[in-house]
């Protein structure tokens, strides 16, 4: 499999892209590399992808009710699949509740 950085570099439109554009392109590439031919992920694959690629944001969230609700939904009705839109909603939801977000907010942006 081709590394994400190399895939990003091959997208001409991102050559002068902003950090935010590259971030969303990276999320789309990570998703697409795991998705089936229909462009969807099983709930089990989604859970695995979150645990391997979004570990820093979900670490320490296990006891939060919202996190448990999200993970329970991924464990139920495994025949249902997740599309990219739903995947991005999961990422945003997990980011908003994460302890890492507070750490990010505290980063100094000036010298």
């Amino acid at each position: 499999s081709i590394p994400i950085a190399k895939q990003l570099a091959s997208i001409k439109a991102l050559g002068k892209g902003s950090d935010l554009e590259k971030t969303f392109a990276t999320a789309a590439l990570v998703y697409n590399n795991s998705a089936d031919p229909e462009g969807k992920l099983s709930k089990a694959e989604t859970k695995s992808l979150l645990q391997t690629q979004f570990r820093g944001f979900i670490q320490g969230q296990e006891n939060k009710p919202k996190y448990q609700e999200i993970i329970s939904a991924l464990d139920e009705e495994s025949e249902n699949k997740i599309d990219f839109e739903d995947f991005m909603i999961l990422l945003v939801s997990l980011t908003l509740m994460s302890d890492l977000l507070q750490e990010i907010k505290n980063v100094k942006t000036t010298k």
Side-chain angles (χ1 to χ4, degrees), residues 2-3 11 13-14 22 37 41 50-52 55 59 69 76 84 86 89 91 94 97 100 102 105-106 108 110:
I2 300 170
I11 302 171
L14 290 176
K22 289 176 183 174
L41 288 175
L50 291 171
Q51 291 170 331
T52 59
R55 180 176 37 244
Q59 186 174 13
E69 179 184 322
E76 296 169 1
F84 182 68
D86 290 335
I89 291 168
L91 290 183
L94 292 168
M97 77 173 79
L100 184 55
Q102 190 57 49
K105 287 179 179 179
N106 293 335
K108 301 259 186 274
T110 58

Side-chain angles (χ1 to χ4, degrees), residues 41-44 73-81:
L41 288 175
S42 72
K43 287 187 173 186
L74 292 176
D75 289 335
E76 296 169 1
E77 301 177 41
S78 59
E79 69 277 357
N80 293 343
K81 294 197 172 189

Side-chain angles (χ1 to χ4, degrees), residues 6-15 25 29:
K6 194 167 189 167
Q7 291 179 47
L8 273 178
S10 73
I11 302 171
K12 289 185 170 98
L14 290 176
L29 286 169

Side-chain angles (χ1 to χ4, degrees), residues 62-76:
E62 297 83 3
N63 295 325
K64 292 184 177 178
K66 184 66 177 171
Y67 175 83
Q68 291 174 348
E69 179 184 322
I70 289 169
I71 295 305
S72 292
L74 292 176
D75 289 335
E76 296 169 1

